[in-house]
Amino acid sequence: MSTVLIWVILALLCLSLAPHKSGAEFEQWCVADEQTPDDELQAAMDWACGGGGADCSKIQVNQPCYFPNTVKDHASYAFNSYFQKFKHKGGSCYFKAAALITELDPSHASCHYEFIP
């Protein structure tokens, strides 16, 4: 067997052993759109943390997601909390176009963004 053929077979074997996720299994988080002005993010976050039912306790002072203390970061945490809690009950990651879906975990340092399958 040629060396090239052996490498191709090994590459295919490695790919076949790698775990595959179906479209429904991709982990998704909801985060603030960086292009949205702070006043719009703040209004959407106020709704999410109030009547929306998101758990915003971790973005309060002395809590693990307080820093960085920016409207964008706090809104991202609040939007994701709402999205994870209600995505299977008809909730979305829209927030009047202030948010978007990402498949990159936005967790950082001691701040863990929840993901619910």
Side-chain angles (χ1 to χ4, degrees):
M1 261 191 202
S2 74
T3 305
V4 173
L5 183 57
I6 292 172
W7 281 108
V8 169
I9 291 171
L10 286 173
L12 290 172
L13 180 61
C14 288
L15 287 174
S16 69
L17 295 175
H20 299 289
K21 292 183 176 183
S22 69
E25 292 178 337
F26 281 106
E27 295 178 348
Q28 294 183 327
W29 293 265
C30 180
V31 295
D33 185 340
E34 294 185 9
Q35 297 178 7
T36 304
D38 280 359
D39 61 325
E40 292 177 30
L41 290 175
Q42 185 68 55
M45 179 173 51
D46 290 346
W47 178 84
C49 293
D55 177 4
C56 297
S57 61
K58 291 185 180 170
I59 56 175
Q60 303 303 313
V61 176
N62 297 322
Q63 293 303 309
C65 298
Y66 180 71
F67 291 109
N69 181 18
T70 67
V71 172
K72 183 186 87 56
D73 286 284
H74 287 187
S76 288
Y77 189 87
F79 295 169
N80 187 66
S81 174
Y82 172 86
F83 177 65
Q84 298 299 328
K85 188 173 181 180
F86 296 109
K87 66 184 175 184
H88 297 300
K89 300 174 186 171
S92 72
C93 177
Y94 183 66
F95 298 95
K96 295 185 179 178
L100 49 86
I101 294 285
T102 182
E103 292 179 354
L104 298 174
D105 185 351
S107 299
H108 52 88
S110 63
C111 181
H112 174 73
Y113 278 58
E114 184 175 33
F115 167 73
I116 298 173

